[in-house]
Amino acid sequence: MNIKIVCVGKLKEKYFKDGIAEYLKRMDRYAKVEIVQVPDEKAPEKLSDAKMEKVKEIEGNRILSKIKDKEYVFVTAIKGCEYTSENFAQKISDVTTYGHSDITFVIGGSLGTSNAVNKRADELISFGKFTMPHQLMRLVLIEQIYRAFMINIGSPYHK
């Protein structure tokens, strides 16, 4: 199985890098996991709606260039489907059982994802209504992916 996480912007904080590296190491025995960073577009604080859409469109094109047709795509979005860890594990199991060995997760930039990215998604998923920095979201996502694998093999890790 191949898992790709496409995210906008560079990861700067060492503690996030260290946490993500730990989960990547743990995941090594279950799946090939790749993190693909695309550049973020400068977005000053007070942008018009049209300029915000333009920023999301530019970032969206960068994201879409990293996704292949055969990949099952989850896009993180506040309005997405919320899962329990057990339901998320079941969803990953179902996706792989029914013909998708390549799963891609997308974490957008600070303004979210473009309509084009959301339309490409097979599913929008949410980790709650809280707003998180996208750097933190990377760590949360990789931990939940690892947790899903642990649930699916019956490991006590998830409790």
Side-chain angles (χ1 to χ4, degrees):
M1 172 183 299
N2 299 303
I3 296 175
K4 181 170 31 179
I5 301 171
V6 179
C7 31
V8 175
K10 290 183 180 177
L11 196 58
K12 298 173 186 142
E13 293 83 358
K14 183 179 180 329
Y15 52 90
F16 287 140
K17 288 179 183 178
D18 291 346
I20 291 167
E22 176 61 30
Y23 285 107
L24 288 173
K25 184 173 78 176
R26 292 180 187 190
M27 282 295 301
D28 200 35
R29 63 196 309 197
Y30 305 106
K32 179 183 175 224
V33 181
E34 173 187 18
I35 297 179
V36 178
Q37 297 180 139
V38 298
D40 56 345
E41 193 65 17
K42 293 202 189 281
E45 281 298 313
K46 295 185 181 182
L47 286 178
S48 67
D49 288 347
K51 287 186 180 179
M52 279 196 263
E53 288 304 313
K54 185 65 177 169
V55 167
K56 290 195 296 188
E57 181 184 329
I58 292 167
E59 290 176 347
N61 289 336
R62 292 173 183 158
I63 291 167
L64 291 170
S65 75
K66 303 300 181 186
I67 299 172
K68 295 180 181 130
D69 289 342
K70 66 178 181 167
E71 296 170 354
Y72 190 95
V73 179
F74 290 97
V75 173
T76 58
I78 289 175
K79 294 183 180 179
C81 180
E82 290 186 42
Y83 285 103
T84 64
S85 294
E86 290 81 5
N87 293 137
F88 183 59
Q90 186 61 54
K91 180 65 179 188
I92 288 176
S93 178
D94 291 347
V95 166
T96 57
T97 299
Y98 297 108
H100 294 279
S101 59
D102 297 305
I103 300 175
T104 296
F105 293 89
V106 174
I107 302 171
S110 61
L111 299 176
T113 50
S114 69
N115 289 332
V117 170
N118 293 343
K119 284 180 184 172
R120 171 56 185 91
D122 291 287
E123 187 165 348
L124 299 177
I125 59 170
S126 174
F127 285 79
K129 295 183 186 209
F130 288 112
T131 301
M132 288 186 228
H134 50 278
Q135 296 92 343
L136 175 59
M137 191 61 229
R138 289 186 204 185
L139 180 58
V140 171
L141 176 61
I142 191 74
E143 191 281 335
Q144 284 299 305
I145 294 168
Y146 176 72
R147 182 177 296 269
F149 275 81
M150 294 301 94
I151 290 168
N152 287 339
I153 65 166
S155 169
Y157 167 83
H158 73 282
K159 294 187 181 199

